[in-house]
Amino acid sequence: MGHGGGGKLMSDLITHLFAQDLKNDLLDQMGDSTILPSDLAAGRLAFSTDSYVINPLFFPGGDIGELAVNGTVNDLAMSGAKPLFLSCGFILEEGLEMKTLGLIVKSMAQACRIAKVLMVAGDTKVVNKGHGDGVYINTAGIGIINNEIDIRPQNAKPGDAILISGSMGDHGIAVMSVREGLSFESTIESDTCPLFDLVESMLVITKEIHCLRDITRGGLSAVLNELAKASQVGFEFEETKVPVRSGVQAACEMLGLDPLYIANEGKLVAIVPEQWSDPILTEMRKNPAGTDAVRIGRVVADHPGIVLAKTRIGGSRVVDIPAGELLPRIC
Amino acid sequence: MGHGGGGKLMSDLITHLFAQDLKNDLLDQMGDSTILPSDLAAGRLAFSTDSYVINPLFFPGGDIGELAVNGTVNDLAMSGAKPLFLSCGFILEEGLEMKTLGLIVKSMAQACRIAKVLMVAGDTKVVNKGHGDGVYINTAGIGIINNEIDIRPQNAKPGDAILISGSMGDHGIAVMSVREGLSFESTIESDTCPLFDLVESMLVITKEIHCLRDITRGGLSAVLNELAKASQVGFEFEETKVPVRSGVQAACEMLGLDPLYIANEGKLVAIVPEQWSDPILTEMRKNPAGTDAVRIGRVVADHPGIVLAKTRIGGSRVVDIPAGELLPRIC
């Protein structure tokens, strides 16, 4: 508990652990708030936040620290914003091993380097043993949006193509498998990764991307429903076109889960004018985060707010937003 | 748990609870990140974050929601930044009463109105029952700093006056008294309040304010030590000049606590050139947050990094930074 009290122990924690791994001139200001450089004015700012309560803290393909950086970076990228600065709030459980915290902080630092963002402000609180599950992390992020870009959930238009950047369900099944002690033939790894490079390459083809959304909690079904409702258009896609890795598919069949409802942490859906669909896909597939990118369907004027899937056997079904919780605590 | 899963229940929670009380055009964007207005360019940006894990959630004079707004608003104000936008991340404990959450959100909305900030981005996670103590809140904030202002912990100079804006210890003792079931003759209330109006009025007198710091965890002793170390100067102050309410004083004597080490949530220390000390104090006392403002001492070139207090009996003692935890979970 001493490390959360504002005293010398906390000051040591900040200096020796956080400030070393995450070192940069802005974080070094050590003020109550961090003053950002003034040469940001070439666009509008985007601002986003997410808390991470994933259990367990480490899972195949990632950990809570990497997730906390990539998640917020990706939320910014989904506005077309170049992510620049992150803040970070740790809620530590009394008794958390310093070694564990050290690994998480190193992982965050590494993720920041890969995503080309700076961690510029932070806070640490400690809660009593038995609460907090080791560590919860909140990150907030600031990015900058080129003035020609207007990507919003309300922008999908009939005729647009629906693209996704890769396979569905990897993150959720990776976390679930360790949590439930399931083992499959091959380890399923989380897909956690930053998506701005991918978005930036898509924007080189055209600024006219209508909607972007990273496919996290609630999976593809939640995201498509949100976009269809926000834009008041209908969505139709072919279920067979949605890539699902064989291990994920097998796990889903065993557990009675639908990959369309499982979270990812490094995948996006893009709604783009049909004429840009092929060139954007070609570009996406050149990026490591988009090698399996595919066009899964189209936006229609019929049945606004409703998402229809063409099934494997040729029928068509309404893909609803999931009511509650499929896999709790997966981010 | 269903309310954290990214599905319909979560969507309902956001729409009916958060979006109503905290309603504004920016929050209404409902994108993965919020796009801020582009006419911010008249200065540098300040960015800050804090998590709030206070126990209990409601205490005399405030609650976790009000604290979460004022705390981050005040961190921004301490850079001389006008607070503009907040993000908010809730970590809810499964089983938390909707009514309780509703009260907290309403309190946040009210605190935002008073502090003249907009809540523009949010996130909700749910953790299992028995974890999370009802609710933890993280806020991050963006403010803008007039280009003439340069307030930093490193700026204290020998000869400067040390001012504080009012009485010490109210918040810590208010929280402690309810938590420990102590009762005193009169209820001690938390001093939680936003401080930017006070800072703005001080900046009207002169832009040449050297350091500002809100006096939270670790109390006045921690803040003075941090500033003395950051600026590599010595601090000297008179203990008898530090205002402490009689109820707080009595509680501290009973509990064996020193008010210099107890947290506040609506008080600041200001390090200002001696010639501006009186006019700034006069201005501070006109503001409801600064009625008891007082000059408690001065910055010296001797003993850099060391804070000395002249005691009641005429001696002098080193006021050290507290080592660990005096009152856990008070913010």
Side-chain angles (χ1 to χ4, degrees), chain A residues 33, chain B residues 48 50 52 66-79 81-86 111-112 114-117 139-141 193-197 214:
Chain A
S33 61
Chain B
S48 184
D50 252 327
Y52 301 85
E66 187 178 352
L67 206 63
V69 171
N70 290 342
T72 295
V73 157
N74 290 348
D75 281 342
L76 294 170
M78 295 309 115
S79 304
K82 181 180 170 66
L84 295 174
F85 304 110
L86 295 184
C112 284
I114 293 172
K116 297 171 207 129
V117 292
T139 50
C193 75
L195 292 172
F196 181 69
D197 277 357
D214 58 336

PDB file of all heavy atoms in Angstrom, chain A residues 33, chain B residues 48 50 52 66-79 81-86 111-112 114-117 139-141 193-197 214:
ATOM      1  N   SER A  33       0.606  18.029 -14.876  1.00  0.00           N
ATOM      2  CA  SER A  33       0.178  17.666 -16.228  1.00  0.00           C
ATOM      3  C   SER A  33       1.373  17.857 -17.151  1.00  0.00           C
ATOM      4  O   SER A  33       2.365  18.469 -16.775  1.00  0.00           O
ATOM      5  CB  SER A  33      -1.017  18.502 -16.681  1.00  0.00           C
ATOM      6  OG  SER A  33      -0.694  19.862 -16.708  1.00  0.00           O
TER       7      SER A  33
ATOM      8  N   SER B  48      -3.105  15.306 -18.863  1.00  0.00           N
ATOM      9  CA  SER B  48      -2.906  14.734 -17.535  1.00  0.00           C
ATOM     10  C   SER B  48      -3.871  13.592 -17.293  1.00  0.00           C
ATOM     11  O   SER B  48      -4.928  13.515 -17.926  1.00  0.00           O
ATOM     12  CB  SER B  48      -3.117  15.820 -16.487  1.00  0.00           C
ATOM     13  OG  SER B  48      -2.841  15.311 -15.207  1.00  0.00           O
ATOM     14  N   ASP B  50      -5.403  10.773 -13.974  1.00  0.00           N
ATOM     15  CA  ASP B  50      -5.445  10.290 -12.597  1.00  0.00           C
ATOM     16  C   ASP B  50      -6.522   9.219 -12.484  1.00  0.00           C
ATOM     17  O   ASP B  50      -7.568   9.324 -13.122  1.00  0.00           O
ATOM     18  CB  ASP B  50      -5.787  11.426 -11.623  1.00  0.00           C
ATOM     19  CG  ASP B  50      -4.581  11.838 -10.786  1.00  0.00           C
ATOM     20  OD1 ASP B  50      -3.758  10.971 -10.471  1.00  0.00           O
ATOM     21  OD2 ASP B  50      -4.477  13.025 -10.453  1.00  0.00           O
ATOM     22  N   TYR B  52      -9.009   7.150  -9.663  1.00  0.00           N
ATOM     23  CA  TYR B  52      -9.621   7.407  -8.369  1.00  0.00           C
ATOM     24  C   TYR B  52     -10.151   6.098  -7.807  1.00  0.00           C
ATOM     25  O   TYR B  52     -10.959   5.424  -8.452  1.00  0.00           O
ATOM     26  CB  TYR B  52     -10.706   8.481  -8.518  1.00  0.00           C
ATOM     27  CG  TYR B  52     -10.097   9.750  -9.060  1.00  0.00           C
ATOM     28  CD1 TYR B  52      -9.922   9.933 -10.438  1.00  0.00           C
ATOM     29  CD2 TYR B  52      -9.590  10.717  -8.211  1.00  0.00           C
ATOM     30  CE1 TYR B  52      -9.283  11.052 -10.948  1.00  0.00           C
ATOM     31  CE2 TYR B  52      -8.955  11.843  -8.704  1.00  0.00           C
ATOM     32  CZ  TYR B  52      -8.802  12.004 -10.064  1.00  0.00           C
ATOM     33  OH  TYR B  52      -8.155  13.110 -10.561  1.00  0.00           O
ATOM     34  N   GLU B  66     -17.242  13.524  -8.287  1.00  0.00           N
ATOM     35  CA  GLU B  66     -16.808  14.917  -8.208  1.00  0.00           C
ATOM     36  C   GLU B  66     -15.283  14.991  -8.121  1.00  0.00           C
ATOM     37  O   GLU B  66     -14.635  15.816  -8.783  1.00  0.00           O
ATOM     38  CB  GLU B  66     -17.451  15.530  -6.956  1.00  0.00           C
ATOM     39  CG  GLU B  66     -17.244  17.006  -6.819  1.00  0.00           C
ATOM     40  CD  GLU B  66     -17.946  17.558  -5.570  1.00  0.00           C
ATOM     41  OE1 GLU B  66     -18.705  16.814  -4.898  1.00  0.00           O
ATOM     42  OE2 GLU B  66     -17.703  18.739  -5.265  1.00  0.00           O
ATOM     43  N   LEU B  67     -14.714  14.092  -7.298  1.00  0.00           N
ATOM     44  CA  LEU B  67     -13.271  14.038  -7.110  1.00  0.00           C
ATOM     45  C   LEU B  67     -12.556  13.758  -8.437  1.00  0.00           C
ATOM     46  O   LEU B  67     -11.516  14.353  -8.728  1.00  0.00           O
ATOM     47  CB  LEU B  67     -12.972  12.901  -6.131  1.00  0.00           C
ATOM     48  CG  LEU B  67     -11.713  12.975  -5.306  1.00  0.00           C
ATOM     49  CD1 LEU B  67     -11.762  14.180  -4.383  1.00  0.00           C
ATOM     50  CD2 LEU B  67     -11.569  11.704  -4.473  1.00  0.00           C
ATOM     51  N   ALA B  68     -13.125  12.840  -9.233  1.00  0.00           N
ATOM     52  CA  ALA B  68     -12.478  12.420 -10.478  1.00  0.00           C
ATOM     53  C   ALA B  68     -12.447  13.554 -11.497  1.00  0.00           C
ATOM     54  O   ALA B  68     -11.533  13.645 -12.318  1.00  0.00           O
ATOM     55  CB  ALA B  68     -13.191  11.201 -11.061  1.00  0.00           C
ATOM     56  N   VAL B  69     -13.454  14.421 -11.446  1.00  0.00           N
ATOM     57  CA  VAL B  69     -13.444  15.594 -12.332  1.00  0.00           C
ATOM     58  C   VAL B  69     -12.482  16.653 -11.786  1.00  0.00           C
ATOM     59  O   VAL B  69     -11.565  17.102 -12.479  1.00  0.00           O
ATOM     60  CB  VAL B  69     -14.863  16.182 -12.489  1.00  0.00           C
ATOM     61  CG1 VAL B  69     -14.822  17.523 -13.218  1.00  0.00           C
ATOM     62  CG2 VAL B  69     -15.763  15.196 -13.226  1.00  0.00           C
ATOM     63  N   ASN B  70     -12.655  17.013 -10.516  1.00  0.00           N
ATOM     64  CA  ASN B  70     -11.846  18.091  -9.946  1.00  0.00           C
ATOM     65  C   ASN B  70     -10.363  17.748  -9.906  1.00  0.00           C
ATOM     66  O   ASN B  70      -9.507  18.608 -10.144  1.00  0.00           O
ATOM     67  CB  ASN B  70     -12.322  18.427  -8.530  1.00  0.00           C
ATOM     68  CG  ASN B  70     -13.681  19.105  -8.536  1.00  0.00           C
ATOM     69  OD1 ASN B  70     -14.124  19.611  -9.569  1.00  0.00           O
ATOM     70  ND2 ASN B  70     -14.349  19.102  -7.401  1.00  0.00           N
ATOM     71  N   GLY B  71     -10.042  16.489  -9.623  1.00  0.00           N
ATOM     72  CA  GLY B  71      -8.635  16.099  -9.508  1.00  0.00           C
ATOM     73  C   GLY B  71      -7.879  16.327 -10.805  1.00  0.00           C
ATOM     74  O   GLY B  71      -6.779  16.900 -10.808  1.00  0.00           O
ATOM     75  N   THR B  72      -8.463  15.915 -11.909  1.00  0.00           N
ATOM     76  CA  THR B  72      -7.766  16.053 -13.188  1.00  0.00           C
ATOM     77  C   THR B  72      -7.814  17.496 -13.691  1.00  0.00           C
ATOM     78  O   THR B  72      -6.832  18.009 -14.241  1.00  0.00           O
ATOM     79  CB  THR B  72      -8.328  15.033 -14.196  1.00  0.00           C
ATOM     80  OG1 THR B  72      -8.013  13.722 -13.702  1.00  0.00           O
ATOM     81  CG2 THR B  72      -7.729  15.194 -15.573  1.00  0.00           C
ATOM     82  N   VAL B  73      -8.943  18.157 -13.466  1.00  0.00           N
ATOM     83  CA  VAL B  73      -9.036  19.587 -13.769  1.00  0.00           C
ATOM     84  C   VAL B  73      -7.919  20.345 -13.032  1.00  0.00           C
ATOM     85  O   VAL B  73      -7.245  21.206 -13.610  1.00  0.00           O
ATOM     86  CB  VAL B  73     -10.435  20.111 -13.342  1.00  0.00           C
ATOM     87  CG1 VAL B  73     -10.431  21.604 -13.104  1.00  0.00           C
ATOM     88  CG2 VAL B  73     -11.473  19.726 -14.400  1.00  0.00           C
ATOM     89  N   ASN B  74      -7.696  20.000 -11.778  1.00  0.00           N
ATOM     90  CA  ASN B  74      -6.682  20.698 -10.985  1.00  0.00           C
ATOM     91  C   ASN B  74      -5.265  20.382 -11.449  1.00  0.00           C
ATOM     92  O   ASN B  74      -4.400  21.261 -11.437  1.00  0.00           O
ATOM     93  CB  ASN B  74      -6.859  20.375  -9.497  1.00  0.00           C
ATOM     94  CG  ASN B  74      -8.118  21.025  -8.941  1.00  0.00           C
ATOM     95  OD1 ASN B  74      -8.723  21.872  -9.589  1.00  0.00           O
ATOM     96  ND2 ASN B  74      -8.507  20.618  -7.748  1.00  0.00           N
ATOM     97  N   ASP B  75      -5.021  19.149 -11.868  1.00  0.00           N
ATOM     98  CA  ASP B  75      -3.691  18.823 -12.400  1.00  0.00           C
ATOM     99  C   ASP B  75      -3.387  19.677 -13.631  1.00  0.00           C
ATOM    100  O   ASP B  75      -2.260  20.135 -13.819  1.00  0.00           O
ATOM    101  CB  ASP B  75      -3.597  17.333 -12.755  1.00  0.00           C
ATOM    102  CG  ASP B  75      -3.367  16.477 -11.509  1.00  0.00           C
ATOM    103  OD1 ASP B  75      -2.953  17.017 -10.465  1.00  0.00           O
ATOM    104  OD2 ASP B  75      -3.606  15.266 -11.586  1.00  0.00           O
ATOM    105  N   LEU B  76      -4.402  19.877 -14.480  1.00  0.00           N
ATOM    106  CA  LEU B  76      -4.201  20.738 -15.645  1.00  0.00           C
ATOM    107  C   LEU B  76      -3.960  22.180 -15.207  1.00  0.00           C
ATOM    108  O   LEU B  76      -3.043  22.851 -15.699  1.00  0.00           O
ATOM    109  CB  LEU B  76      -5.421  20.671 -16.577  1.00  0.00           C
ATOM    110  CG  LEU B  76      -5.657  19.316 -17.251  1.00  0.00           C
ATOM    111  CD1 LEU B  76      -7.014  19.284 -17.934  1.00  0.00           C
ATOM    112  CD2 LEU B  76      -4.545  19.003 -18.261  1.00  0.00           C
ATOM    113  N   ALA B  77      -4.780  22.641 -14.273  1.00  0.00           N
ATOM    114  CA  ALA B  77      -4.674  24.037 -13.811  1.00  0.00           C
ATOM    115  C   ALA B  77      -3.286  24.324 -13.245  1.00  0.00           C
ATOM    116  O   ALA B  77      -2.793  25.451 -13.342  1.00  0.00           O
ATOM    117  CB  ALA B  77      -5.751  24.323 -12.768  1.00  0.00           C
ATOM    118  N   MET B  78      -2.646  23.298 -12.666  1.00  0.00           N
ATOM    119  CA  MET B  78      -1.325  23.504 -12.057  1.00  0.00           C
ATOM    120  C   MET B  78      -0.222  23.749 -13.088  1.00  0.00           C
ATOM    121  O   MET B  78       0.893  24.112 -12.739  1.00  0.00           O
ATOM    122  CB  MET B  78      -0.960  22.329 -11.136  1.00  0.00           C
ATOM    123  CG  MET B  78      -1.870  22.189  -9.927  1.00  0.00           C
ATOM    124  SD  MET B  78      -2.088  23.711  -8.949  1.00  0.00           S
ATOM    125  CE  MET B  78      -3.847  24.031  -9.187  1.00  0.00           C
ATOM    126  N   SER B  79      -0.515  23.529 -14.369  1.00  0.00           N
ATOM    127  CA  SER B  79       0.402  23.961 -15.432  1.00  0.00           C
ATOM    128  C   SER B  79      -0.007  25.329 -15.967  1.00  0.00           C
ATOM    129  O   SER B  79       0.554  25.802 -16.948  1.00  0.00           O
ATOM    130  CB  SER B  79       0.374  22.982 -16.609  1.00  0.00           C
ATOM    131  OG  SER B  79       0.667  21.684 -16.193  1.00  0.00           O
ATOM    132  N   ALA B  81      -2.858  25.648 -17.296  1.00  0.00           N
ATOM    133  CA  ALA B  81      -3.707  25.303 -18.448  1.00  0.00           C
ATOM    134  C   ALA B  81      -5.173  25.498 -18.106  1.00  0.00           C
ATOM    135  O   ALA B  81      -5.621  25.128 -17.018  1.00  0.00           O
ATOM    136  CB  ALA B  81      -3.475  23.857 -18.858  1.00  0.00           C
ATOM    137  N   LYS B  82      -5.909  26.051 -19.031  1.00  0.00           N
ATOM    138  CA  LYS B  82      -7.366  26.120 -18.900  1.00  0.00           C
ATOM    139  C   LYS B  82      -7.912  24.741 -19.259  1.00  0.00           C
ATOM    140  O   LYS B  82      -7.755  24.295 -20.396  1.00  0.00           O
ATOM    141  CB  LYS B  82      -7.928  27.172 -19.859  1.00  0.00           C
ATOM    142  CG  LYS B  82      -9.434  27.347 -19.792  1.00  0.00           C
ATOM    143  CD  LYS B  82      -9.874  28.425 -20.801  1.00  0.00           C
ATOM    144  CE  LYS B  82     -11.392  28.463 -20.937  1.00  0.00           C
ATOM    145  NZ  LYS B  82     -12.059  28.894 -19.696  1.00  0.00           N
ATOM    146  N   PRO B  83      -8.541  24.037 -18.315  1.00  0.00           N
ATOM    147  CA  PRO B  83      -9.042  22.686 -18.607  1.00  0.00           C
ATOM    148  C   PRO B  83     -10.206  22.752 -19.599  1.00  0.00           C
ATOM    149  O   PRO B  83     -11.109  23.570 -19.442  1.00  0.00           O
ATOM    150  CB  PRO B  83      -9.532  22.182 -17.242  1.00  0.00           C
ATOM    151  CG  PRO B  83      -8.906  23.098 -16.218  1.00  0.00           C
ATOM    152  CD  PRO B  83      -8.768  24.421 -16.910  1.00  0.00           C
ATOM    153  N   LEU B  84     -10.176  21.905 -20.614  1.00  0.00           N
ATOM    154  CA  LEU B  84     -11.214  21.944 -21.646  1.00  0.00           C
ATOM    155  C   LEU B  84     -11.973  20.628 -21.779  1.00  0.00           C
ATOM    156  O   LEU B  84     -13.193  20.606 -21.793  1.00  0.00           O
ATOM    157  CB  LEU B  84     -10.581  22.274 -23.009  1.00  0.00           C
ATOM    158  CG  LEU B  84      -9.948  23.649 -23.148  1.00  0.00           C
ATOM    159  CD1 LEU B  84      -9.237  23.753 -24.492  1.00  0.00           C
ATOM    160  CD2 LEU B  84     -11.004  24.735 -23.018  1.00  0.00           C
ATOM    161  N   PHE B  85     -11.253  19.530 -21.898  1.00  0.00           N
ATOM    162  CA  PHE B  85     -11.882  18.243 -22.217  1.00  0.00           C
ATOM    163  C   PHE B  85     -11.412  17.148 -21.263  1.00  0.00           C
ATOM    164  O   PHE B  85     -10.235  17.071 -20.937  1.00  0.00           O
ATOM    165  CB  PHE B  85     -11.510  17.815 -23.640  1.00  0.00           C
ATOM    166  CG  PHE B  85     -11.869  18.836 -24.682  1.00  0.00           C
ATOM    167  CD1 PHE B  85     -10.877  19.541 -25.345  1.00  0.00           C
ATOM    168  CD2 PHE B  85     -13.202  19.104 -24.971  1.00  0.00           C
ATOM    169  CE1 PHE B  85     -11.212  20.490 -26.299  1.00  0.00           C
ATOM    170  CE2 PHE B  85     -13.536  20.049 -25.924  1.00  0.00           C
ATOM    171  CZ  PHE B  85     -12.542  20.750 -26.591  1.00  0.00           C
ATOM    172  N   LEU B  86     -12.343  16.291 -20.875  1.00  0.00           N
ATOM    173  CA  LEU B  86     -11.995  15.126 -20.069  1.00  0.00           C
ATOM    174  C   LEU B  86     -12.425  13.846 -20.771  1.00  0.00           C
ATOM    175  O   LEU B  86     -13.432  13.826 -21.489  1.00  0.00           O
ATOM    176  CB  LEU B  86     -12.697  15.162 -18.702  1.00  0.00           C
ATOM    177  CG  LEU B  86     -12.356  16.271 -17.707  1.00  0.00           C
ATOM    178  CD1 LEU B  86     -13.105  16.014 -16.391  1.00  0.00           C
ATOM    179  CD2 LEU B  86     -10.865  16.362 -17.443  1.00  0.00           C
ATOM    180  N   ALA B 111     -20.043  18.490 -11.641  1.00  0.00           N
ATOM    181  CA  ALA B 111     -18.668  18.972 -11.453  1.00  0.00           C
ATOM    182  C   ALA B 111     -18.092  19.495 -12.771  1.00  0.00           C
ATOM    183  O   ALA B 111     -17.358  20.483 -12.792  1.00  0.00           O
ATOM    184  CB  ALA B 111     -17.787  17.861 -10.885  1.00  0.00           C
ATOM    185  N   CYS B 112     -18.441  18.843 -13.888  1.00  0.00           N
ATOM    186  CA  CYS B 112     -17.987  19.314 -15.206  1.00  0.00           C
ATOM    187  C   CYS B 112     -18.557  20.693 -15.506  1.00  0.00           C
ATOM    188  O   CYS B 112     -17.861  21.573 -16.019  1.00  0.00           O
ATOM    189  CB  CYS B 112     -18.409  18.338 -16.310  1.00  0.00           C
ATOM    190  SG  CYS B 112     -17.416  16.836 -16.390  1.00  0.00           S
ATOM    191  N   ILE B 114     -19.519  22.977 -13.344  1.00  0.00           N
ATOM    192  CA  ILE B 114     -18.882  23.971 -12.470  1.00  0.00           C
ATOM    193  C   ILE B 114     -17.463  24.285 -12.944  1.00  0.00           C
ATOM    194  O   ILE B 114     -17.041  25.436 -12.957  1.00  0.00           O
ATOM    195  CB  ILE B 114     -18.878  23.474 -11.006  1.00  0.00           C
ATOM    196  CG1 ILE B 114     -20.325  23.420 -10.478  1.00  0.00           C
ATOM    197  CG2 ILE B 114     -18.018  24.375 -10.117  1.00  0.00           C
ATOM    198  CD1 ILE B 114     -20.467  22.760  -9.122  1.00  0.00           C
ATOM    199  N   ALA B 115     -16.740  23.259 -13.364  1.00  0.00           N
ATOM    200  CA  ALA B 115     -15.350  23.461 -13.793  1.00  0.00           C
ATOM    201  C   ALA B 115     -15.262  23.896 -15.251  1.00  0.00           C
ATOM    202  O   ALA B 115     -14.165  24.134 -15.761  1.00  0.00           O
ATOM    203  CB  ALA B 115     -14.546  22.190 -13.577  1.00  0.00           C
ATOM    204  N   LYS B 116     -16.419  23.977 -15.927  1.00  0.00           N
ATOM    205  CA  LYS B 116     -16.489  24.403 -17.339  1.00  0.00           C
ATOM    206  C   LYS B 116     -15.636  23.515 -18.247  1.00  0.00           C
ATOM    207  O   LYS B 116     -14.872  23.994 -19.091  1.00  0.00           O
ATOM    208  CB  LYS B 116     -16.068  25.864 -17.480  1.00  0.00           C
ATOM    209  CG  LYS B 116     -17.003  26.834 -16.747  1.00  0.00           C
ATOM    210  CD  LYS B 116     -16.408  28.242 -16.729  1.00  0.00           C
ATOM    211  CE  LYS B 116     -16.879  29.058 -15.531  1.00  0.00           C
ATOM    212  NZ  LYS B 116     -15.797  29.686 -14.776  1.00  0.00           N
ATOM    213  N   VAL B 117     -15.740  22.206 -18.046  1.00  0.00           N
ATOM    214  CA  VAL B 117     -15.076  21.250 -18.942  1.00  0.00           C
ATOM    215  C   VAL B 117     -16.129  20.337 -19.560  1.00  0.00           C
ATOM    216  O   VAL B 117     -17.222  20.176 -19.010  1.00  0.00           O
ATOM    217  CB  VAL B 117     -14.031  20.373 -18.211  1.00  0.00           C
ATOM    218  CG1 VAL B 117     -12.844  21.201 -17.765  1.00  0.00           C
ATOM    219  CG2 VAL B 117     -14.653  19.642 -17.026  1.00  0.00           C
ATOM    220  N   THR B 139      -9.809   9.500 -15.028  1.00  0.00           N
ATOM    221  CA  THR B 139     -10.073  10.597 -15.960  1.00  0.00           C
ATOM    222  C   THR B 139      -8.746  11.056 -16.553  1.00  0.00           C
ATOM    223  O   THR B 139      -7.717  11.011 -15.889  1.00  0.00           O
ATOM    224  CB  THR B 139     -10.763  11.800 -15.286  1.00  0.00           C
ATOM    225  OG1 THR B 139     -10.048  12.149 -14.103  1.00  0.00           O
ATOM    226  CG2 THR B 139     -12.209  11.493 -14.916  1.00  0.00           C
ATOM    227  N   ALA B 140      -8.779  11.442 -17.805  1.00  0.00           N
ATOM    228  CA  ALA B 140      -7.635  12.104 -18.421  1.00  0.00           C
ATOM    229  C   ALA B 140      -8.163  13.431 -18.937  1.00  0.00           C
ATOM    230  O   ALA B 140      -9.355  13.565 -19.242  1.00  0.00           O
ATOM    231  CB  ALA B 140      -7.037  11.276 -19.557  1.00  0.00           C
ATOM    232  N   GLY B 141      -7.306  14.422 -19.002  1.00  0.00           N
ATOM    233  CA  GLY B 141      -7.776  15.751 -19.370  1.00  0.00           C
ATOM    234  C   GLY B 141      -6.837  16.472 -20.305  1.00  0.00           C
ATOM    235  O   GLY B 141      -5.623  16.255 -20.282  1.00  0.00           O
ATOM    236  N   CYS B 193     -12.734  20.819  -4.857  1.00  0.00           N
ATOM    237  CA  CYS B 193     -13.273  21.876  -5.733  1.00  0.00           C
ATOM    238  C   CYS B 193     -12.300  22.113  -6.877  1.00  0.00           C
ATOM    239  O   CYS B 193     -11.118  21.766  -6.779  1.00  0.00           O
ATOM    240  CB  CYS B 193     -13.527  23.162  -4.952  1.00  0.00           C
ATOM    241  SG  CYS B 193     -12.042  24.080  -4.539  1.00  0.00           S
ATOM    242  N   PRO B 194     -12.795  22.657  -7.980  1.00  0.00           N
ATOM    243  CA  PRO B 194     -11.896  22.955  -9.101  1.00  0.00           C
ATOM    244  C   PRO B 194     -11.117  24.238  -8.829  1.00  0.00           C
ATOM    245  O   PRO B 194     -11.645  25.167  -8.227  1.00  0.00           O
ATOM    246  CB  PRO B 194     -12.853  23.138 -10.274  1.00  0.00           C
ATOM    247  CG  PRO B 194     -14.136  23.587  -9.658  1.00  0.00           C
ATOM    248  CD  PRO B 194     -14.197  23.029  -8.273  1.00  0.00           C
ATOM    249  N   LEU B 195      -9.869  24.287  -9.272  1.00  0.00           N
ATOM    250  CA  LEU B 195      -8.994  25.408  -8.912  1.00  0.00           C
ATOM    251  C   LEU B 195      -8.621  26.312 -10.080  1.00  0.00           C
ATOM    252  O   LEU B 195      -7.864  27.264  -9.893  1.00  0.00           O
ATOM    253  CB  LEU B 195      -7.707  24.866  -8.259  1.00  0.00           C
ATOM    254  CG  LEU B 195      -7.881  24.219  -6.876  1.00  0.00           C
ATOM    255  CD1 LEU B 195      -6.595  23.542  -6.419  1.00  0.00           C
ATOM    256  CD2 LEU B 195      -8.320  25.272  -5.850  1.00  0.00           C
ATOM    257  N   PHE B 196      -9.148  26.038 -11.281  1.00  0.00           N
ATOM    258  CA  PHE B 196      -8.676  26.872 -12.389  1.00  0.00           C
ATOM    259  C   PHE B 196      -9.125  28.326 -12.277  1.00  0.00           C
ATOM    260  O   PHE B 196      -8.361  29.241 -12.625  1.00  0.00           O
ATOM    261  CB  PHE B 196      -9.045  26.313 -13.767  1.00  0.00           C
ATOM    262  CG  PHE B 196      -8.513  27.207 -14.856  1.00  0.00           C
ATOM    263  CD1 PHE B 196      -7.144  27.285 -15.084  1.00  0.00           C
ATOM    264  CD2 PHE B 196      -9.354  28.013 -15.605  1.00  0.00           C
ATOM    265  CE1 PHE B 196      -6.625  28.144 -16.045  1.00  0.00           C
ATOM    266  CE2 PHE B 196      -8.834  28.875 -16.577  1.00  0.00           C
ATOM    267  CZ  PHE B 196      -7.476  28.934 -16.800  1.00  0.00           C
ATOM    268  N   ASP B 197     -10.337  28.572 -11.794  1.00  0.00           N
ATOM    269  CA  ASP B 197     -10.776  29.962 -11.629  1.00  0.00           C
ATOM    270  C   ASP B 197      -9.810  30.733 -10.732  1.00  0.00           C
ATOM    271  O   ASP B 197      -9.462  31.891 -11.013  1.00  0.00           O
ATOM    272  CB  ASP B 197     -12.183  30.019 -11.014  1.00  0.00           C
ATOM    273  CG  ASP B 197     -13.266  29.849 -12.075  1.00  0.00           C
ATOM    274  OD1 ASP B 197     -12.912  29.755 -13.280  1.00  0.00           O
ATOM    275  OD2 ASP B 197     -14.450  29.808 -11.707  1.00  0.00           O
ATOM    276  N   ASP B 214      -1.178  21.273  -6.757  1.00  0.00           N
ATOM    277  CA  ASP B 214      -2.293  21.013  -5.849  1.00  0.00           C
ATOM    278  C   ASP B 214      -1.814  20.067  -4.752  1.00  0.00           C
ATOM    279  O   ASP B 214      -0.999  19.181  -4.991  1.00  0.00           O
ATOM    280  CB  ASP B 214      -3.550  20.530  -6.578  1.00  0.00           C
ATOM    281  CG  ASP B 214      -3.336  19.278  -7.389  1.00  0.00           C
ATOM    282  OD1 ASP B 214      -2.185  18.994  -7.789  1.00  0.00           O
ATOM    283  OD2 ASP B 214      -4.316  18.563  -7.645  1.00  0.00           O
TER     284      ASP B 214
END
